[in-house]
Amino acid sequence: MSRLKRQVLIWLILTVVLIAGSYLALNKMIEREEPQKPEVRGIFLYMYEFPERSVARNFTFYIKKIRESGFNIVLPFVIHAGGLADYRSKIVPNDMDYLSNFNSDEDPLKIVVEESHRNGLKVWAWVVGFRTDRSVLLQHPDWGIVNEKGEDQLLHGSFHPWGWYYLSPASEGARNYIKSYITELVQEYGVDGINIEDDFGFPSEIEADFSENARWSFESYLGRKVQNWPQDVLAGGSLRDEWINWRAKIVADFLREIKNTIKQINPNIVLSADVSSNSEWNKRAMGVDWHEWVRQSLIDVVCPMLYHRDNSMPIKWVEDTTKSIVEQVENNNEKVMVMPCVGGSLSATGNMPGWEWVESVKEAMRGGASGILVFADVCLDSSGAWVDLTNYFKQADQ
């Protein structure tokens, strides 16, 4: 074969390889660009004009906007971070500054539920776990947490860097209080689901709880007295691992109580929980062993918070993490759905372009998610991303 023919043959082979490679790359790119679109699409809704807790939202406007944008679940934040209710609860202390926006016969949560149902939306009440208002501790001082120095919150103020007050998961009274207001939401307001905020469990920023309730419960779990309290259960202590396992057990046991209670009222109600993607940290820091929650069917939906900007991660991280969590959940309990929360804090996503919001949804779906939750409405307001998500979600219904 002549040199010229060999060169022509090599050129032809290279051309075929390049065309085939381009074709495969194009197919792969198309596949990545068009994952299955989510059929379940939720958005977190602040009841007030964040961060102004005393200013109410225009619910008629926002519920209509949420429906027209293609969402089918709204998750109103019914008890704000300070532990006061933004609805007329008979159990949780009301935020009267906020409720002054309404007539005495008006209940903002009833408005949200009625407007949502009229617009074909499901309502999952987004509730705090063990954060509370100081007034609750004034009435029930034995419900609160105690730090490792034996100091309580009433005399020494909040131990939390953000000034929050906490109930103790080891206190039966505190657990009954939380269960009673969740029951109230299901019975009195007809919500379609309960979404447990990621504060469910022990506070993550501080070492607690070392109250008498906690010590008694832990020693009962252990089957003996702790001689060196609380040093033996602090980091590096001889009973640290047992302490972590006990915390996880009482939180899981309480979640079981909540599920059993609300399912007796409405067997079709959905119980979901926002959790950290780092399950090991979640268990050690907060007593949240959500893998065990999944195994025991304590929740219907697990909602890992995959906020790529807050975690300084590339957007591809959302797909990779979703895929890993979906595999873990399916191996433990195929009945539990995985619905990641995408978006993130206002400071991180307030300027996030619309295409990035859409891509974060797509990445979650590429990872095998059953649906998605978007955090939050105020972030979409700030970033102007409603239009992009609207256009994308509308395609899902076509």
Side-chain angles (χ1 to χ4, degrees):
M1 182 183 293
S2 67
R3 180 180 179 183
L4 178 61
K5 287 182 178 181
R6 282 198 301 271
Q7 288 177 336
V8 170
L9 180 61
I10 291 172
W11 180 83
L12 287 172
I13 292 172
L14 289 174
T15 300
V16 170
V17 170
L18 286 171
I19 291 173
S22 298
Y23 177 76
L24 292 173
L26 180 61
N27 279 344
K28 186 175 181 180
M29 182 172 65
I30 292 173
E31 181 183 344
R32 277 194 54 76
E33 288 180 350
E34 295 301 329
Q36 179 180 352
K37 293 182 175 63
E39 294 183 5
V40 182
R41 307 177 292 271
I43 184 166
F44 292 90
L45 172 72
Y46 279 88
M47 299 284 281
Y48 54 87
E49 290 288 352
F50 184 89
E52 299 297 331
R53 290 180 182 166
S54 63
V55 182
R57 312 296 290 278
N58 182 334
F59 297 127
T60 301
F61 170 79
Y62 269 96
I63 297 302
K64 181 181 178 183
K65 186 173 187 175
I66 287 169
R67 187 256 300 167
E68 291 178 345
S69 297
F71 291 97
N72 46 36
I73 300 174
V74 59
L75 297 94
F77 193 24
V78 297
I79 301 171
H80 63 58
L84 295 177
D86 286 333
Y87 64 101
R88 298 194 185 280
S89 174
K90 296 180 177 65
I91 298 165
V92 182
N94 292 187
D95 187 332
M96 297 311 298
D97 287 340
Y98 172 79
L99 290 176
S100 67
N101 292 280
F102 302 89
N103 296 326
S104 60
D105 60 343
E106 289 183 317
D107 189 317
L109 182 55
K110 287 186 177 179
I111 295 173
V112 169
V113 173
E114 290 169 2
E115 288 288 330
S116 297
H117 286 169
R118 184 161 43 246
N119 281 273
L121 304 174
K122 299 290 187 182
V123 179
W124 294 3
W126 167 29
V127 300
V128 299
F130 288 89
R131 284 206 303 269
T132 194
D133 182 67
R134 189 172 186 272
S135 64
V136 175
L137 297 178
L138 284 171
Q139 293 182 5
H140 305 279
D142 59 315
W143 288 6
I145 60 171
V146 170
N147 67 13
E148 67 273 22
K149 299 177 184 178
E151 300 169 339
D152 66 30
Q153 299 164 99
L154 288 176
L155 291 178
H156 299 275
S158 170
F159 312 132
H160 197 279
W162 292 355
W164 292 335
Y165 288 86
Y166 274 87
L167 299 169
S168 169
S171 166
E172 182 179 3
R175 295 194 303 269
N176 287 337
Y177 166 72
I178 295 170
K179 188 168 60 175
S180 67
Y181 69 66
I182 291 176
T183 300
E184 178 185 51
L185 290 168
V186 177
Q187 281 184 328
E188 304 298 327
Y189 290 86
V191 298
D192 308 287
I194 295 293
N195 177 261
I196 303 292
E197 199 190 357
D198 62 304
D199 71 323
F200 191 79
F202 292 84
S204 61
E205 303 290 332
I206 52 178
E207 278 279 5
D209 166 40
F210 305 102
S211 64
E212 286 303 308
N213 285 322
R215 182 173 184 174
W216 176 86
S217 178
F218 177 62
E219 289 179 339
S220 296
Y221 167 81
L222 199 63
R224 58 186 172 88
K225 294 285 186 182
V226 177
Q227 299 302 319
N228 192 22
W229 177 266
Q231 284 71 28
D232 285 350
V233 300
L234 296 176
S238 60
L239 298 175
R240 182 65 172 182
D241 288 343
E242 288 90 341
W243 174 254
I244 289 170
N245 289 334
W246 163 77
R247 286 165 34 123
K249 183 180 185 304
I250 65 168
V251 171
D253 287 347
F254 180 46
L255 187 59
R256 181 182 296 103
E257 286 184 45
I258 291 174
K259 180 188 175 183
N260 291 340
T261 299
I262 64 174
K263 293 287 186 178
Q264 287 176 4
I265 301 169
N266 178 5
N268 296 318
I269 198 163
V270 175
L271 180 59
S272 64
D274 304 329
V275 300
S276 170
S277 60
N278 186 336
S279 58
E280 182 179 348
W281 173 86
N282 229 176
K283 179 179 178 180
R284 288 190 168 273
M286 302 179 66
V288 172
D289 186 355
W290 58 261
H291 285 291
E292 194 61 30
W293 297 1
V294 168
R295 277 190 287 270
Q296 297 185 35
S297 294
L298 303 184
I299 51 176
D300 301 305
V301 186
V302 61
C303 308
M305 299 174 294
L306 305 187
Y307 304 148
H308 65 283
R309 283 197 171 196
D310 287 88
N311 287 280
S312 301
M313 298 297 287
I315 197 167
K316 179 71 164 52
W317 173 79
V318 176
E319 177 194 0
D320 296 338
T321 309
T322 301
K323 186 177 297 184
S324 174
I325 291 173
V326 168
E327 289 175 356
Q328 295 170 44
V329 170
E330 287 181 346
N331 288 336
N332 287 313
N333 190 341
E334 292 183 348
K335 294 180 180 179
V336 176
M337 295 187 294
V338 178
M339 290 179 53
C341 305
V342 299
S345 65
L346 181 60
S347 60
T349 64
N351 64 349
M352 193 162 85
W355 67 264
E356 193 170 341
W357 285 93
V358 173
E359 283 302 313
S360 65
V361 172
K362 288 183 176 182
E363 293 288 12
M365 296 309 296
R366 288 187 185 106
S370 301
I372 57 93
L373 303 179
V374 171
F375 191 90
D377 64 313
V378 295
C379 302
L380 296 184
D381 286 343
S382 178
S383 63
W386 286 97
V387 173
D388 296 82
L389 282 172
T390 299
N391 293 336
Y392 178 63
F393 288 152
K394 281 185 175 178
Q395 299 173 29
D397 295 325
Q398 294 176 354

